[in-house]
Amino acid sequence: MTSPLLHAPLGFGLGLRPPHYAAILDEQSPLGAEIDWFEIISENYMIPGGRPLYFLDRIRERWPVVMHGVSLSIGSTDPLDLNYLRDLKALAHRAKPAWISDHLCWTGAHGAQVHDLLPLPFTEEAVRHVVSRVRQVQDVLGQRILLENVSSYLQFEEDEMREWEFISAIAEAADCLLLLDVNNVYVSSVNHGFDPEAYLAGLPARRVQQFHVAGHETSPDLLIDTHDHAVPDPVWQLYRSAVRRFGPVSTLLERDDDLPDLDILVQELQLARDHQASSLKVAA
């Protein structure tokens, strides 16, 4: 079993999506009681007002919330966007999240955003570059952030280490935490032919603060991280391994497209509970 987490586990959560606002807050429905916490996409709530903030305020009164961003671009060569960080900090002041996360990637360069999560070369130079920027972000926000591993579909000739070694080096040097996306590990392991169990074994256990589980799309040549399918069996199997290694880490079921009704997601969330409980018994 791992060392204690820096934050107490929140249990099992869902991504907060507008089509589910009403069902979540319906006091006549039992569904809300089956969800322990919610993860918001930070950028969707970095606005001056309106419906999203109205519902966020109501939901955070009853459930813990964490913030998950897609635009930090921590690996870019562009300067950090201080206006973005200011707005992110303001949202954190309002939402009072348990923690703030984003992706270990870059999303643009030379002032242009590509609206995608692009992989980094696994080099010592990239480690130093990202570490410096993570430290800046954490200084501005006044707290550690979580970085999430992204799925990838290519590798760089310049790579000097494996992905898990790259992530570990950044987390230790920057003193940040990790959001382990189990689906992304599985997708990348199939696409690049590495052992996903070796990936888990290579991460610093005390840094892993949150899990993501999700579905993906299978094409003839590769797997694509789409978040529009139920979690498949191979990802659940890898999730069980992650629980055995890292313990009862806060687990988030991700679904972004082809959204089913809330009750379907709650049923799938129960699968995560069942997998974690049985895996912890094996690890005991």
Side-chain angles (χ1 to χ4, degrees):
M1 192 58 64
T2 66
S3 58
L5 295 169
L6 294 178
H7 297 277
L10 297 178
F12 299 85
L14 292 177
L16 183 60
R17 303 295 181 259
H20 297 145
Y21 286 159
I24 291 166
L25 291 168
D26 183 358
E27 295 183 356
Q28 304 304 314
S29 168
L31 294 177
E34 301 299 318
I35 306 165
D36 297 325
W37 57 283
F38 289 97
E39 180 186 82
I40 66 169
I41 301 299
S42 301
E43 289 78 5
N44 291 345
Y45 298 87
M46 292 165 63
I47 52 179
R51 184 172 182 265
L53 286 178
Y54 167 78
F55 281 102
L56 173 60
D57 288 343
R58 293 186 63 191
I59 286 167
R60 73 175 182 81
E61 290 174 354
R62 295 173 53 187
W63 290 272
V65 168
V66 305
M67 289 167 46
H68 184 53
V70 295
S71 303
L72 182 59
S73 199
I74 198 68
S76 176
T77 55
D78 282 356
L80 287 166
D81 186 339
L82 297 182
N83 289 329
Y84 173 85
L85 289 177
R86 178 202 64 205
D87 293 344
L88 187 68
K89 187 173 184 177
L91 177 61
H93 179 74
R94 178 172 189 149
K96 307 275 190 301
W99 54 78
I100 301 171
S101 65
D102 208 298
H103 300 80
L104 181 53
C105 69
W106 58 287
T107 62
H110 308 295
Q113 283 287 331
V114 298
H115 303 292
D116 206 346
L117 306 174
L118 302 173
L120 289 159
F122 304 142
T123 65
E124 294 288 352
E125 180 183 13
V127 169
R128 292 191 296 271
H129 176 67
V130 173
V131 165
S132 174
R133 290 164 67 87
V134 172
R135 288 173 176 166
Q136 287 180 261
V137 170
Q138 293 185 149
D139 285 345
V140 171
L141 297 179
Q143 62 182 280
R144 289 185 178 96
I145 62 170
L146 280 61
L147 290 178
E148 177 187 348
N149 57 295
V150 298
S151 55
S152 63
Y153 313 98
L154 58 81
Q155 294 176 301
F156 294 91
E157 291 183 356
E158 295 83 359
D159 285 351
E160 300 168 353
M161 62 190 82
R162 304 306 297 262
E163 181 179 350
W164 53 91
E165 297 169 333
F166 179 72
I167 292 173
S168 298
I170 290 171
E172 296 290 3
D175 192 22
C176 67
L177 303 175
L178 298 175
L179 193 171
L180 176 59
D181 190 309
V182 178
N183 178 63
N184 288 353
V185 173
Y186 179 75
V187 166
S188 294
S189 75
V190 173
N191 291 344
H192 302 311
F194 63 76
D195 179 2
E197 299 284 349
Y199 193 117
L200 300 185
L203 295 178
R206 66 191 182 91
R207 300 279 176 184
V208 176
Q209 181 64 48
Q210 182 186 336
F211 293 145
H212 273 174
V213 291
H216 55 261
E217 183 176 322
T218 301
S219 76
D221 299 316
L222 76 171
L223 303 184
I224 305 172
D225 179 34
T226 53
H227 298 175
D228 60 359
H229 290 72
V231 180
D233 288 341
V235 175
W236 282 131
Q237 181 177 344
L238 190 60
Y239 173 69
R240 291 170 63 91
S241 294
V243 171
R244 288 192 293 270
R245 169 154 172 75
F246 302 109
V249 173
S250 303
T251 298
L252 189 286
L253 174 64
E254 272 194 306
R255 188 68 175 259
D256 294 318
D257 291 309
D258 196 17
L259 279 173
D261 290 341
L262 187 62
D263 62 326
I264 301 299
L265 294 180
V266 166
Q267 292 173 26
E268 195 171 10
L269 199 61
Q270 184 59 46
L271 286 178
R273 285 191 177 90
D274 295 342
H275 283 298
Q276 185 180 103
S278 60
S279 298
L280 290 173
K281 286 181 181 178
V282 171

